[in-house]
Amino acid sequence: MGLPIIGETLQFFVPYTSTDISPFIKKRIQRYGPVFRTSIVGHPIIVSTDPELNSLVFKQGADSWFKPWYTDSFSEIIGSESLMFHEGFLHKYIRGLVRERFGPDSLKSLLVDLEGRTRSHLGSWSVLPSVDLKEAVSVMLHGFAVEKLYSFSDPEMIRGHKQSYDAFLRGLISFPLNIPGTAYWKCLQGRKWAVKTIKKLMEERTESPRMGERDYLDFVMEEIDSSESPLTEKMATDLLFLLPFAAFESTSSTIVSAFHYLTAHPAALAELTREHEGILKRREESGSGGISWREYKSMTFTHMVTNETLRLTNIVPGIFRKVMKDVEVKGYLIPAGWTVMVYPTAAHLNPSVYDDPLSFNPWRWEGQKVNSGSENFMAFGGGSRFCSGAEFVKLCMAIFFHHLVTKYRYVQFD
């Protein structure tokens, strides 16, 4: 359990560059087995890399022994009324609000704009000697998100908004020391600026409702005013704060990681290129315009690349659940009041499920479902907590690589 109060927090937060299981987790699995206890930021935690226990943790229903949980510091960063802190009816309701903008039906209407923005940015990058791909893709997707959410159009406002999220991101997973100059303090300052901007926008919309085309903020404001809606201003603020981050950060990380793996595996890149060149040829023969939703859904190998990238990059470092009552499973007694952290990386790199698990092999997904989660694939969470934005990530991946591999060539990726 480590030292008093801080436990093993310092060891847990030590960064590492490998795609393998973190040294902190691996060392303890080797010593104690797939389920062990530790103490992180003052909380006793059970770390599970066991598929059976993970499946039990994700079990849903009113009698569930495990409820979603996050540290106080994370709650302060994300917002205490955010989607992830609600359960039951409220959680389902807010998920519905997210799907209003990022669900499949809404994405169909956004496809044209998203493709146009992607083509424009790829064209502007192509004349540059080099591009910081992670930053460039983040800027592109952040700009798209704030335009659709808030109707931002002023470049300075968009830039300032992005900078506040950059500060937020740098301290998101850091030691929670709220002292000026620390990453955590900067993270809170970034959130403070972004929330102040959102509240100002909401006040302006209340005083002067917009006429004409509605954006997502208009939709949320109408929900707040509706007598039949449970949405409060605080819930709306936390939702509007989280959505831009959710839209651009994990998506840009996935795109850049896929780019890295594809450039290192020519056979996979060639197969991806063949798939998109085939789609482009059929489209040109039919005389149709840009990517259709039907074409997107037909990009089988692209979806396999997405899943394999997510399996290896493990964007979600841990999924936390609070134990509501004593649970006995596989000979272990897990006390009520403790927290279980499901560690997705262990499931994604399980050699009994994935042959040669550290290798990039999109073909391993052939014939399998690529649009859902399981106890062996938790890139987008599990159960009723399955990420509402999963389709958005996959759509962005498909559009980006469709235009990249059919229209451009690159010299080197470092």
Side-chain angles (χ1 to χ4, degrees):
M1 298 296 284
L3 299 171
I5 302 177
I6 67 171
E8 297 187 300
T9 303
L10 298 179
Q11 299 96 311
F12 178 78
F13 280 111
V14 171
Y16 67 101
T17 57
S18 168
T19 57
D20 200 353
I21 295 172
S22 87
F24 175 87
I25 301 290
K26 179 177 281 190
K27 179 180 178 181
R28 285 154 182 79
I29 290 175
Q30 292 169 346
R31 186 171 181 181
Y32 305 116
V35 181
F36 61 88
R37 67 182 186 180
T38 183
S39 175
I40 301 173
V41 293
H43 296 277
I45 289 177
I46 301 291
V47 177
S48 172
T49 66
D50 181 81
E52 184 178 332
L53 177 54
N54 293 348
S55 180
L56 181 64
V57 168
F58 288 134
K59 180 184 177 183
Q60 302 303 315
D63 60 343
S64 177
W65 297 334
F66 303 93
K67 300 293 184 183
W69 177 87
Y70 304 91
T71 64
D72 293 339
S73 59
F74 192 75
S75 172
E76 189 175 10
I77 292 171
I78 297 297
S80 59
E81 292 293 327
S82 180
L83 165 67
M84 55 186 65
F85 292 100
H86 288 289
E87 299 177 49
F89 168 74
L90 276 178
H91 180 259
K92 184 177 181 180
Y93 168 75
I94 299 175
R95 274 176 62 91
L97 297 183
V98 175
R99 290 177 67 84
E100 180 70 24
R101 177 54 69 193
F102 292 106
D105 291 340
S106 298
L107 291 178
K108 291 177 184 178
S109 64
L110 296 177
L111 197 159
V112 173
D113 287 346
L114 184 56
E115 183 181 14
R117 183 175 292 267
T118 302
R119 291 174 65 178
S120 173
H121 279 259
L122 281 169
S124 65
W125 302 342
S126 68
V127 299
L128 300 175
S130 65
V131 177
D132 180 336
L133 191 60
K134 176 62 169 66
E135 178 61 17
V137 175
S138 293
V139 168
M140 176 182 75
L141 293 175
H142 170 266
F144 176 80
V146 296
E147 177 187 307
K148 298 304 176 183
L149 293 171
Y150 317 134
S151 296
F152 275 3
S153 58
D154 178 60
E156 288 301 316
M157 179 174 284
I158 294 174
R159 191 176 298 110
H161 189 268
K162 174 68 166 56
Q163 288 173 351
S164 71
Y165 277 84
D166 289 341
F168 165 78
L169 177 63
R170 282 192 289 271
L172 181 60
I173 303 179
S174 63
F175 191 82
L177 193 62
N178 191 11
I179 296 176
T182 63
Y184 183 74
W185 179 83
K186 291 177 181 177
C187 178
L188 292 176
Q189 296 306 302
R191 172 184 165 80
K192 183 178 179 180
W193 190 95
V195 169
K196 182 179 179 181
T197 302
I198 292 168
K199 288 183 175 179
K200 183 179 178 181
L201 282 171
M202 293 173 73
E203 290 172 2
E204 291 174 352
R205 296 287 175 93
T206 300
E207 294 172 0
S208 304
R210 293 195 327 149
M211 304 299 290
E213 187 177 353
R214 297 164 68 251
D215 60 15
Y216 188 72
L217 178 57
D218 292 321
F219 166 73
V220 170
M221 296 294 290
E222 289 176 5
E223 285 292 307
I224 294 174
D225 293 338
S226 172
S227 59
E228 299 179 358
S229 168
L231 190 68
T232 65
E233 187 172 322
K234 178 66 168 68
M235 290 165 62
T237 302
D238 286 347
L239 174 64
L240 291 166
F241 167 74
L242 186 61
L243 283 179
F245 169 74
F248 79 83
E249 176 51 33
S250 59
T251 309
S252 61
S253 295
T254 304
I255 288 174
V256 174
S257 297
F259 194 106
H260 163 72
Y261 288 123
L262 288 167
T263 54
H265 296 82
L269 179 58
E271 181 62 29
L272 185 77
T273 303
R274 276 193 293 272
E275 177 171 84
H276 287 281
E277 286 181 342
I279 291 172
L280 184 62
K281 182 179 179 181
R282 289 189 293 273
R283 187 189 311 140
E284 289 173 344
E285 289 173 351
S286 66
S288 57
I291 299 172
S292 67
W293 189 258
R294 186 174 184 177
E295 287 174 339
Y296 158 64
K297 299 301 285 186
S298 74
M299 297 175 183
T300 305
F301 191 75
T302 304
H303 300 321
M304 290 159 61
V305 167
T306 301
N307 270 26
E308 184 68 351
T309 300
L310 289 166
R311 184 186 70 83
L312 285 171
T313 51
N314 293 294
I315 292 171
V316 178
I319 301 170
F320 294 88
R321 295 290 187 269
K322 176 71 76 175
V323 184
M324 305 310 296
K325 60 183 178 180
D326 289 354
V327 178
E328 189 167 343
V329 56
K330 300 186 74 170
Y332 297 105
L333 176 64
I334 304 177
W338 280 45
T339 299
V340 173
M341 184 185 90
V342 173
Y343 185 64
T345 304
H348 295 168
L349 300 179
N350 185 346
S352 64
V353 177
Y354 300 105
D355 184 46
D356 192 10
L358 288 174
S359 69
F360 178 75
N361 177 16
W363 287 273
R364 74 170 80 245
W365 295 94
E366 201 163 10
Q368 297 189 43
K369 291 183 178 180
V370 293
N371 295 310
S372 61
S374 69
E375 64 183 29
N376 297 315
F377 185 65
M378 310 174 211
F380 294 111
S384 68
R385 297 269 161 175
F386 190 78
C387 178
S388 301
E391 197 73 54
F392 179 74
V393 175
K394 295 177 179 180
L395 180 62
C396 290
M397 276 277 293
I399 293 173
F400 181 85
F401 282 103
H402 177 77
H403 288 284
L404 179 70
V405 302
T406 58
K407 294 181 174 64
Y408 298 99
R409 293 294 180 267
Y410 40 89
V411 179
Q412 182 180 0
F413 178 70
D414 183 6

